[in-house]
Amino acid sequence: MLYFIGLGLGDCKDITVKGLEIVRQCSRVYLEAYTSILTVGKEALEEYYGRELLLADRDMVEQQTDEILKGADVSDVAFLVVGDPFGATTHSDLVLRALNAGIQYRVIHNASIMNAVGCCGLQLYNFGETVSIVFWMDTWRPESFYDKIKKNRDMGLHTLCLLPSLSRGRKIYEPTRYMTVAQAAEQLLEILQNRRDRGEELAMTEDTVCVGLARVGAEDQTIRSGTLQELASSDLGGPLHSMIISGHLHPLEVDMLKLFSGPEGLKTLKMTNSSTYVS
Amino acid sequence: MLYFIGLGLGDCKDITVKGLEIVRQCSRVYLEAYTSILTVGKEALEEYYGRELLLADRDMVEQQTDEILKGADVSDVAFLVVGDPFGATTHSDLVLRALNAGIQYRVIHNASIMNAVGCCGLQLYNFGETVSIVFWMDTWRPESFYDKIKKNRDMGLHTLCLLPSLSRGRKIYEPTRYMTVAQAAEQLLEILQNRRDRGEELAMTEDTVCVGLARVGAEDQTIRSGTLQELASSDLGGPLHSMIISGHLHPLEVDMLKLFSGPEGLKTLKMTNSSTYVS
């Protein structure tokens, strides 16, 4: 049996009881090591689980599948994934290869950023399509995610923006580059200016209410609500970050967002119909 | 401290290690008992957790909040929620009342149906707004959820449909009424006919690929892919059920859905651009 086990978002103890029991009885345990990171390192996980973890980087998962699947038809192999195994990234390819080799699989779910963002008080069923923001380069500055945000806002829906975390090689616990909420907000501000220059009707403004989230589910989780402009100068600390662009806000959602605004922030502001706060 | 602890979707052991440790050291433990159910009953949870669970029905959570919060400023109280505490239902009101009473809170996340549906192979970031389907009555037959499905499909996005589970009074582990995938599909077929009669251009047809999911995360989880028409005559067993209306399907998503179709189903069918399968 090949077990896909979600580790949740925080530390060693965010694995489920069921997941931990399976990890401890599997013959080999792989740790998927390229789509996300926990706030604790591999060594801490190994110590707590009482098992050696084999790092499975992108190359191994995509090219050396046979190694992962070896013997899984007669013994149990675990494949650990930060968050949920079918959350922000799916492992459909590995599922299909396993079945093709006559190996059954089972999924042990856990929280992923896709549902845990609900902790900021915005209701998950008021979210539209999730977007992924990418690092801009000198000559490659895609703006397509803004158009998705626009579609969501036109329907009054919130948008979860996943921010990249790029690990290089195998040193995944020392990520060299991840995008902060401030950087994502800066890119969005630039897009707004570009669109304004072109005379487009904007889907949002510098004053649209946004939420920055860092290390959701961890002890030092940080949530900050504010205008897009405010978030562009925020500092939410270490990775991972994600950001929400609000759509239409329900009064209870507003009350929750006020919990996460600074003293000069939303607490003293009022909401308008366009979900923009004005003083 | 007031702890909001997600129980996940399956049985006793889907709680996280962290959640279980907290449950065992709290002075009182409430079980939120109106928005969802686990496949095991309260007694099984009590035995495994080693703690008495106080049922918190809707009336208690909304009207008798003081009882839940009593003493939580000086000791620890746990509030258990099936799935994730901020998943399909949020508990913002309880959070705000706690803070207002000077009580801090903390959230222990877990899987919810909102992210666990990814196990069918449809990618979560290809989903649009989630819709809730309601039981129709003789004179109250709302069709608004169809319009949301239409908007999602117009953008090529999948739609997660949450199906109701109504518990009556305190006997929440003997739900008298929950909606099956077949019933939801029947309602949708009727809406399609209504719209066709009105001459509307349809967002989907009887042949649109849908996915029925039952007891996601439990040992006896059942997933069935098929056309809307096929799902209308499916039997996926006991609660809870949910349904997905597909949007544009990526080839890898098609391969995954084929795993869950019957022998006469999608395996022998081909995909067209409209995500409708035709033989």
Side-chain angles (χ1 to χ4, degrees), chain B residues 161-230:
Chain B
C161 303
L162 301 176
L163 309 188
S165 167
L166 304 180
S167 59
R168 298 217 173 102
R170 288 172 175 265
K171 296 185 177 177
I172 54 128
Y173 293 107
E174 302 165 338
T176 48
R177 211 175 171 215
Y178 69 95
M179 187 183 285
T180 64
V181 164
Q183 289 172 308
E186 280 289 354
Q187 287 195 6
L188 200 44
L189 285 172
E190 190 171 326
I191 293 173
L192 290 180
Q193 192 54 51
N194 291 344
R195 302 294 175 113
R196 192 178 278 123
D197 292 345
R198 285 188 233 159
E200 270 186 33
E201 187 182 350
L202 295 180
M204 58 184 293
T205 73
E206 290 77 0
D207 291 328
T208 295
V209 173
C210 299
V211 185
L213 306 101
R215 303 172 303 287
V216 170
E219 296 274 345
D220 63 343
Q221 161 184 303
T222 301
I223 302 176
R224 174 79 204 282
S225 61
T227 65
L228 180 64
Q229 189 76 60
E230 285 168 351

Side-chain angles (χ1 to χ4, degrees), chain A residues 153 207-210 246-249 271-277:
Chain A
R153 277 184 58 87
D207 291 328
T208 295
V209 174
C210 299
S246 72
H248 175 73
L249 289 165
M271 186 176 54
T272 69
N273 284 337
S274 63
S275 86
T276 298
Y277 284 74

